[in-house]
């Protein structure tokens, strides 16, 4: 079974949204995958996602059930892919990652056909439209990530 963890800063917007989208795709396709998400910071441990995250997901018929958690070094043992949202998350995750597992780290937009390798902008300080843009970016990147997984398994 493939295990994927999404990582952002506070675990309130981008990583919970990405996990919910991937879980939705897993259910649609009946895939054998497990998902989780976390933040590199400890700001929101135990908190639900930002209400705008929940609202955008609901608008797209995707459910979410999440409480904030923080990235731990053990996560690198437990997950096959740890997908960060931006360069800052990558830098912070590398500080937590045991050396032998650093190759499991990817940026979400490494899988994006429109802006490969760029950052997923944090919508936290924006308005609802920033959350919608984030959703579209994540949805596109996750679909391409699943394409990579499919081709790797063949």
């Amino acid at each position: 079974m493939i295990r994927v963890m999404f990582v952002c800063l506070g675990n309130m917007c981008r990583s919970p949204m990405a996990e919910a989208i991937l879980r939705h795709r897993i259910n649609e396709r009946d895939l054998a995958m497990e998902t989780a998400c976390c933040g590199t910071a400890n700001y929101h441990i135990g908190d639900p996602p930002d209400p705008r995250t929940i609202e955008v997901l609901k608008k797209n018929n995707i459910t979410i059930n999440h409480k904030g958690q923080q990235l731990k070094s053990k996560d690198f043992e437990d997950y096959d892919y740890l997908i960060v949202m931006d360069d800052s998350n990558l830098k912070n995750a590398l500080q937590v990652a045991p050396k032998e597992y650093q190759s499991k780290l990817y940026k979400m937009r490494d899988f994006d056909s429109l802006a490969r390798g760029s950052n997923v902008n944090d919508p936290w300080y924006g308005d609802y439209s920033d959350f919608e843009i984030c959703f579209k970016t994540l949805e596109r990147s996750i679909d391409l990530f699943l394409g990579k997984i499919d081709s790797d398994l063949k």
Side-chain angles (χ1 to χ4, degrees), residues 79-94:
Y79 291 89
D80 303 300
Y81 296 89
L82 288 96
I83 303 175
V84 301
M85 299 296 147
D86 62 33
D87 291 328
S88 177
N89 305 149
L90 179 60
K91 180 182 173 189
N92 292 336
L94 284 168

Side-chain angles (χ1 to χ4, degrees), residues 23-34:
R23 279 192 181 175
H24 186 76
R25 294 293 187 267
I26 290 167
N27 291 335
E28 286 177 335
R29 300 175 187 186
D30 197 29
L31 300 173
M33 293 179 78
E34 204 174 297

Side-chain angles (χ1 to χ4, degrees), residues 17 23 27 109 139:
M17 190 181 295
R23 279 192 181 175
N27 291 335
R109 292 190 82 178
E139 183 178 48

Side-chain angles (χ1 to χ4, degrees), residues 66-89:
H66 172 72
K67 298 289 182 207
Q69 58 183 354
Q70 187 177 17
L71 180 66
K72 302 176 288 302
S73 61
K74 180 153 177 28
D75 294 329
F76 289 87
E77 271 182 62
D78 295 342
Y79 291 89
D80 303 300
Y81 296 89
L82 288 96
I83 303 175
V84 301
M85 299 296 147
D86 62 33
D87 291 328
S88 177
N89 305 149

Side-chain angles (χ1 to χ4, degrees), residues 8-9 16 18 20 48 59 62 82-83 90 93 112-113 116-117 122 140 152:
C8 67
L9 177 62
K59 177 182 171 191
I62 297 176
L82 288 96
I83 303 175
L90 179 60
D112 187 351
S113 60
R116 193 167 308 283
D122 191 347
R140 181 177 60 248
D152 287 354

Side-chain angles (χ1 to χ4, degrees), residues 35-132:
T35 67
C37 68
C38 64
T40 58
N42 63 357
Y43 309 140
H44 301 288
I45 293 174
D47 292 344
D50 185 287
R52 296 166 294 180
T53 298
I54 296 167
E55 189 176 338
V56 167
L57 289 168
K58 185 176 180 178
K59 177 182 171 191
N60 288 280
N61 299 311
I62 297 176
T63 59
I64 186 167
N65 181 14
H66 172 72
K67 298 289 182 207
Q69 58 183 354
Q70 187 177 17
L71 180 66
K72 302 176 288 302
S73 61
K74 180 153 177 28
D75 294 329
F76 289 87
E77 271 182 62
D78 295 342
Y79 291 89
D80 303 300
Y81 296 89
L82 288 96
I83 303 175
V84 301
M85 299 296 147
D86 62 33
D87 291 328
S88 177
N89 305 149
L90 179 60
K91 180 182 173 189
N92 292 336
L94 284 168
Q95 293 175 349
V96 176
K99 293 249 187 265
E100 65 270 24
Y101 296 119
Q102 290 181 354
S103 63
K104 293 182 175 188
L105 274 167
Y106 297 84
K107 282 177 64 180
M108 182 78 263
R109 292 190 82 178
D110 287 346
F111 308 102
D112 187 351
S113 60
L114 296 185
R116 193 167 308 283
S118 64
N119 292 329
V120 176
N121 292 329
D122 191 347
W124 177 263
Y125 292 106
D127 59 22
Y128 185 78
S129 67
D130 294 299
F131 281 78
E132 289 180 311

